[in-house]
Amino acid sequence: MMIRGKDVAMSMLAVGTAAIAGYVLRNGQSRTSHARSKADVGARIVSETEIPADATVVDVSSRRLRELPGARRAIKRAVSNDAREEWEHVTLETNGAWEVVDGIRRSLPYHDGDDGEYNGVYVRYGSSIVVLDAIGWAHVEEPLY
């Protein structure tokens, strides 16, 4: 069997065209149909007696706390609304919202509560102590198209 140059060129042209078309379609689709993640960052006021003995209390001016989107806003809402019974929350609907959840648990002294203790990061905001956590739900929303 003899392979001609013209046959090889046509085959390479067909394969190359298919590869370019696939690349263009993939890049065009990724720009318009990113999956978005959602997460709720919540905060509520706790009394001094509710701070677990082994929990570290972080000051609100902490650089790591400032770097977490929505965290300071949730804390300020909790304090301004005197949220002792309910969580004040901020919903983040951006690509990478899960990174905020990970940031709360990894970059700050996160407390895993026992028997009635709140899970989260305990934060001093003025004369108030606020517990901050990723609450409610977090999921990936797939595009419809």
Side-chain angles (χ1 to χ4, degrees):
M1 180 168 141
M2 181 179 245
I3 299 177
R4 295 186 193 169
K6 188 175 181 180
D7 292 336
V8 171
M10 289 301 284
S11 294
M12 289 182 69
L13 179 63
V15 170
T17 302
I20 291 171
Y23 177 79
V24 168
L25 287 173
R26 183 176 175 182
N27 279 348
Q29 185 179 32
S30 68
R31 284 190 200 124
T32 59
S33 64
H34 286 291
R36 296 173 54 98
S37 58
K38 294 181 182 182
D40 276 0
V41 176
R44 68 182 300 158
I45 296 175
V46 294
S47 69
E48 294 277 340
T49 60
E50 292 178 287
I51 302 171
D54 59 340
T56 301
V57 178
V58 176
D59 190 75
V60 73
S61 64
S62 164
R63 177 187 55 80
R64 286 186 274 171
L65 190 60
R66 279 194 314 260
E67 292 171 353
L68 293 173
R72 287 193 49 123
R73 195 166 12 137
I75 292 167
K76 287 180 180 181
R77 281 185 188 173
V79 171
S80 67
N81 294 330
D82 197 33
R84 296 176 189 276
E85 302 296 321
E86 300 277 333
W87 289 87
E88 289 292 329
H89 64 93
V90 173
T91 301
L92 305 171
E93 297 186 49
T94 62
N95 292 327
W98 270 103
E99 292 173 16
V100 175
V101 174
D102 290 341
I104 289 173
R105 294 179 183 258
R106 279 196 243 143
S107 69
L108 292 163
Y110 188 85
H111 178 76
D112 282 316
D114 296 325
D115 298 326
E117 296 173 343
Y118 290 111
N119 293 333
V121 178
Y122 287 78
V123 179
R124 180 170 304 281
Y125 184 84
S127 62
S128 299
I129 301 293
V130 176
V131 64
L132 175 75
D133 199 2
I135 63 166
W137 48 267
H139 70 278
V140 175
E141 184 179 278
E142 293 295 332
L144 296 174
Y145 49 92

